[in-house]
Amino acid sequence: MWKLTRPGNQHDKLVRDTLLDLEDHHLVRIELVREDQRQVWVLTRRGHGEAKKLLEPKGIRISALREEKYDPVTRELLGAGYDDHAAAVTSTAAELHRAGIGHRLGFATEIGHRLADGYVQRADLVVRAPQAGVPVMLLEIDRRTEDAHDLVVKLRRYWEWGRLLPKDADKRTVEVVRSRPDAIEHVGHEQRLWRRVYPPTGREGLVPVAFVFADTTESKVANTIAVLEETGRRYWAPRRYDTLYLEAVTARDYRQAVPVVVTTLEQLQKHGADAAVWRRLGRTTEQTLTDALDNPDGDVLYRRQYAQAEAEDERHRAVEREARRPVCKRCGRKFTNERWEETTARTAWKAGDLSVCGRCHADDVARQEAAAEAARRQAAAPEPEADVQEPGKPRRGMSARGPDPGKP
């Protein structure tokens, strides 16, 4: 506890003195003493009530009260099974806080997440550290007291909880989600229940989950991680984007996945929580926590690859279109876009000779208009006067005595 509350102190004397003072006021009590002589302290009912008055008005959730339970025969205080796990949870929070990941009041334990069937999945530890790039993360501390497949079940429950709608969700949205199993994937995270409880993570996907293993061997940790990766793939693994450019887009869709990172308490204590001690499921190397939670092959890469693929497709289509562009049979020029559209539109019958370009078509139109104008002028010209003979006057070319013998 002193590493969590006083990370700069070299020893726990100040914290022990404070706890003894709180004990005198019946606000805390010793749950038990571990084999290594470390004491496990918990709040009394009175202390729990005081803490709620202090913290809950500030929006800080407080853990459930640890009830005093006694053996019905010996009347001894029962605390077995709580000590080692509680110490591991506290130590994990202390290492995170020491590395600057989470304020001391930014941690909460035993936080419940109610599923649709009423089951409540409780997270051992919840950390909120937006300044450290981790707005929220759920932690499960495992001392290898649980089977690896039990951890997969926990992961499945967190995944299911992240797909729930709030009780006051839009009626139409609820009906659509009930209509088919995958309909929830088309509902934005802002409309889901988990966004009512936690802030946005700043990354694709649901609320991240961390499995911290303590007091176990490397082989057991490796076996457990292998089971999580294989059996729990549906819940943590990204998918391929549903896009027209499947060959060009290699990015992965993390929007429906639970980001899962793993580490050990021993690594946190040895190297620090801000070191490269976190491994993301699906990856082979250990990274810092923020790097492990980031998705470099996710949405950002998708947008870039999609834009590149779309631009390349547009260029390819432009080349194909240019290859199909008609050529004028009269002058050999390529059709302009306007002329091409004229000759292929529904009103192409108005475009004249469809085998000639716009310039040649304009020449045709000009010749036709000139011919029409000439015909119009000829039709409008006056007719010559008729040759009418006046009475008593000889016709032209004839004398009064008769036809001119010299003329036919």
Side-chain angles (χ1 to χ4, degrees):
M1 184 181 294
W2 65 274
K3 290 184 178 181
L4 179 60
T5 57
R6 294 286 180 176
N9 290 8
Q10 297 298 319
H11 52 76
D12 63 351
K13 184 178 185 305
L14 181 60
V15 174
R16 282 191 290 108
D17 291 344
T18 302
L19 287 172
L20 290 173
D21 184 59
L22 293 173
E23 184 182 32
D24 291 340
H25 289 78
H26 307 288
L27 298 176
V28 298
R29 62 179 176 82
I30 298 176
E31 177 80 2
L32 51 85
V33 180
R34 301 181 61 195
E35 293 181 358
D36 58 4
Q37 299 306 307
R38 287 190 294 172
Q39 297 170 329
V40 177
W41 294 77
V42 296
L43 292 169
T44 62
R45 182 175 294 278
R46 178 180 175 184
H48 192 269
E50 292 290 334
K52 289 180 67 175
K53 293 179 182 178
L54 177 65
L55 300 178
E56 289 189 349
K58 299 179 181 180
I60 302 172
R61 301 180 66 178
I62 187 170
S63 303
L65 174 66
R66 176 66 177 174
E67 297 282 0
E68 295 184 68
K69 296 182 180 180
Y70 296 88
D71 186 282
V73 178
T74 64
R75 303 303 300 170
E76 292 182 356
L77 183 64
L78 299 177
Y82 177 79
D83 54 347
D84 291 333
H85 185 264
V89 172
T90 304
S91 297
T92 300
E95 294 303 328
L96 290 170
H97 177 59
R98 187 162 65 94
I101 304 174
H103 186 268
R104 63 176 60 92
L105 296 179
F107 296 96
T109 58
E110 296 296 319
I111 300 302
H113 303 82
R114 187 176 297 277
L115 302 179
D117 59 3
Y119 183 87
V120 178
Q121 176 62 54
R122 298 189 179 277
D124 291 332
L125 182 67
V126 176
V127 59
R128 300 183 186 223
Q131 295 80 3
V134 187
V136 61
M137 184 170 67
L138 314 180
L139 292 96
E140 288 291 334
I141 317 302
D142 179 37
R143 299 180 56 251
R144 288 305 295 123
T145 56
E146 295 181 275
D147 184 77
H149 290 86
D150 293 335
L151 300 184
V152 174
V153 172
K154 284 187 175 183
L155 176 58
R156 173 181 60 80
R157 289 170 181 160
Y158 286 126
W159 178 76
E160 291 177 347
W161 183 76
R163 296 165 69 88
L164 294 179
L165 292 173
K167 291 183 178 180
D168 59 348
D170 178 70
K171 183 178 179 181
R172 178 176 176 81
T173 303
V174 174
E175 292 175 351
V176 171
V177 170
R178 288 176 177 175
S179 65
R180 61 182 190 276
D182 62 341
I184 187 63
E185 298 180 1
H186 302 285
V187 178
H189 290 286
E190 294 293 329
Q191 302 180 52
R192 301 190 194 182
L193 172 63
W194 77 266
R195 280 292 287 108
R196 301 283 185 90
V197 180
Y198 297 120
T201 64
R203 301 174 176 89
E204 308 101 290
L206 304 176
V207 181
V209 174
F211 288 98
V212 179
F213 303 101
D215 304 326
T216 185
T217 63
E218 292 184 4
S219 61
K220 289 183 179 180
V221 171
N223 292 336
T224 302
I225 294 175
V227 172
L228 281 170
E229 285 190 318
E230 182 63 28
T231 310
R233 177 171 296 276
R234 178 184 179 186
Y235 315 118
W236 64 261
R239 309 171 185 176
R240 293 208 64 176
Y241 274 98
D242 184 13
T243 175
L244 297 175
Y245 311 114
L246 290 177
E247 294 183 0
V249 175
T250 61
R252 292 293 181 264
D253 185 358
Y254 289 88
R255 289 175 296 178
Q256 308 303 324
V258 177
V260 180
V261 294
V262 296
T263 189
T264 65
L265 180 56
E266 290 73 22
Q267 284 183 304
L268 296 178
Q269 293 172 334
K270 182 178 180 180
H271 304 289
D274 55 347
V277 296
W278 304 87
R279 180 190 157 193
R280 176 81 171 261
L281 291 191
R283 302 178 188 173
T284 57
T285 58
E286 294 179 333
Q287 302 171 285
T288 62
L289 181 55
T290 52
D291 287 345
L293 293 176
D294 288 341
N295 304 310
D297 59 340
D299 182 62
V300 174
L301 178 62
Y302 169 73
R303 291 199 300 268
R304 183 168 67 250
Q305 289 182 335
Y306 186 89
Q308 292 173 349
E310 191 174 40
E312 178 62 23
D313 183 59
E314 181 66 24
R315 187 193 66 79
H316 182 69
R317 284 189 279 114
V319 171
E320 289 184 340
R321 175 179 171 81
E322 195 62 29
R324 297 194 307 269
R325 185 181 295 274
V327 177
C328 180
K329 293 184 178 180
R330 187 178 301 169
C331 68
R333 295 189 185 93
K334 288 188 175 182
F335 281 26
T336 62
N337 291 336
E338 293 77 11
R339 179 57 179 169
W340 194 359
E341 183 177 352
E342 286 177 358
T343 58
T344 56
R346 294 178 60 183
T347 57
W349 58 273
K350 298 180 180 180
D353 188 351
L354 303 183
S355 66
V356 299
C357 65
R359 183 177 298 181
C360 293
H361 173 62
D363 292 343
D364 291 346
V365 172
R367 283 194 296 269
Q368 291 173 2
E369 290 179 350
E373 178 64 18
R376 184 183 67 78
R377 289 180 178 179
Q378 183 178 5
E383 295 182 1
E385 295 181 0
D387 188 9
V388 180
Q389 181 181 0
E390 296 181 2
K393 186 177 182 179
R395 289 185 301 174
R396 187 179 300 174
M398 297 181 59
S399 64
R401 293 173 297 182
D404 189 347
K407 293 184 181 179

